[in-house]
Amino acid sequence: EPEVTQTPSHQVTQMGQEVILRCVPISNHLYFYWYRQILGQKVEFLVSFYNNEISEKSEIFDDQFSVERPDGSNFTLKIRSTKLEDSAMYFCASRATTTGMNQPQHFGDGTRLSIL
Amino acid sequence: LAKTTQPISMDSYEGQEVNITCSHNNIATNDYITWYQQFPSQGPRFIIQGYKTKVTNEVASLFIPADRKSSTLSLPRVSLSDTAVYYCLVGDPRGNTGNQFYFGTGTSLTVIP
């Protein structure tokens, strides 16, 4: 069964540094998402992306964050000038689009980001 | 703002049916309800999705009342491997209508031998 893959599985970064989290969505999917999960808390929506642009973002997704689909397979989340509170699991998800049906989002296993 | 709430935890014996309810009082007209299972250090795994009434697949059933302000995930005959955290997710799966997605607070299910 095709799956969403995320790299790296664990990223350790010094506070103030930039970090890029990478995701390879399922190949025929057209909708892409990023979520985060702070340790012990629920999963929180960050951003949705479709047709090479952001379609919706939450209040968490401020100017520090950006997303990009640099080629036909990767979907990235960039965090500029990381803060201690950015430490969390970051999940990527993708969704197919099928006329007449609503397909669910499929999630990767996440990148654990640790800011020191 | 579709705030979603769930019981924090539940215990069940093996072989029993488990029902987990999610409240989503402010669900929007176009929102669907999706349930996920999450094991430690893994991403959420899709279980079932619905819009209204009842949906059933090979692993679960989903009950959604007419007002759609809540939903109930039903797991028949749970086993030890069903011990996990279960989340409801509310949002418009078409994604390009400007709606956000809201995960529930999560229910930690422990299945007891």
Side-chain angles (χ1 to χ4, degrees):
Chain A
E1 183 177 329
E3 57 183 27
V4 175
T5 57
Q6 292 185 241
T7 55
S9 57
H10 191 189
Q11 175 77 46
V12 182
T13 301
Q14 291 289 331
M15 185 173 59
Q17 297 296 308
E18 175 183 283
V19 64
I20 297 176
L21 309 182
R22 292 182 167 80
C23 169
V24 178
I26 296 172
S27 62
N28 63 340
H29 287 191
L30 297 179
Y31 294 85
F32 313 111
Y33 311 87
W34 282 102
Y35 292 80
R36 81 173 184 189
Q37 186 175 32
I38 296 171
L39 185 64
Q41 299 185 21
K42 68 177 183 179
V43 181
E44 300 174 288
F45 170 78
L46 292 178
V47 66
S48 58
F49 190 87
Y50 171 72
N51 199 25
N52 286 319
E53 61 182 18
I54 291 173
S55 53
E56 184 59 43
K57 59 184 180 179
S58 71
E59 58 275 11
I60 302 169
F61 194 89
D62 58 21
D63 292 342
Q64 179 193 12
F65 295 89
S66 63
V67 290
E68 189 178 31
R69 188 158 164 79
D71 53 43
S73 61
N74 290 286
F75 179 52
T76 63
L77 174 69
K78 182 189 290 185
I79 309 175
R80 287 181 285 272
S81 188
T82 50
K83 305 188 287 281
L84 293 176
E85 53 264 39
D86 294 327
S87 295
M89 282 289 288
Y90 287 81
F91 293 107
C92 172
S94 69
R95 184 177 77 84
T97 176
T98 305
T99 303
M101 296 180 63
N102 290 302
Q103 300 294 327
Q105 297 176 42
H106 294 270
F107 287 77
D109 281 335
T111 293
R112 179 172 299 283
L113 177 62
S114 299
I115 307 300
L116 304 179
Chain B
L1 187 66
K3 182 178 179 181
T4 49
T5 57
Q6 303 174 227
I8 292 174
S9 63
M10 296 180 70
D11 294 336
S12 176
Y13 288 101
E14 268 191 299
Q16 290 192 330
E17 178 184 80
V18 170
N19 296 309
I20 305 173
T21 297
C22 177
S23 297
H24 28 79
N25 291 323
N26 298 321
I27 190 168
T29 302
N30 294 330
D31 287 346
Y32 274 66
I33 300 147
T34 312
W35 282 83
Y36 290 87
Q37 176 192 58
Q38 187 179 32
F39 296 111
S41 300
Q42 293 186 20
R45 291 287 177 262
F46 171 75
I47 302 173
I48 197 166
Q49 178 176 280
Y51 182 80
K52 61 180 179 180
T53 62
K54 177 183 176 181
V55 180
T56 298
N57 63 20
E58 62 276 10
V59 299
S61 295
L62 177 59
F63 300 90
I64 305 169
D67 65 6
R68 305 199 329 118
K69 293 185 177 182
S70 66
S71 59
T72 299
L73 172 71
S74 181
L75 303 172
R77 299 178 298 283
V78 294
S79 63
L80 296 178
S81 62
D82 292 320
T83 294
V85 180
Y86 292 82
Y87 289 96
C88 61
L89 173 65
V90 175
D92 183 349
R94 287 163 292 182
N96 57 343
T97 60
N99 288 349
Q100 297 188 23
F101 293 88
Y102 299 93
F103 268 92
T105 46
T107 299
S108 178
L109 172 66
T110 301
V111 180
I112 305 165

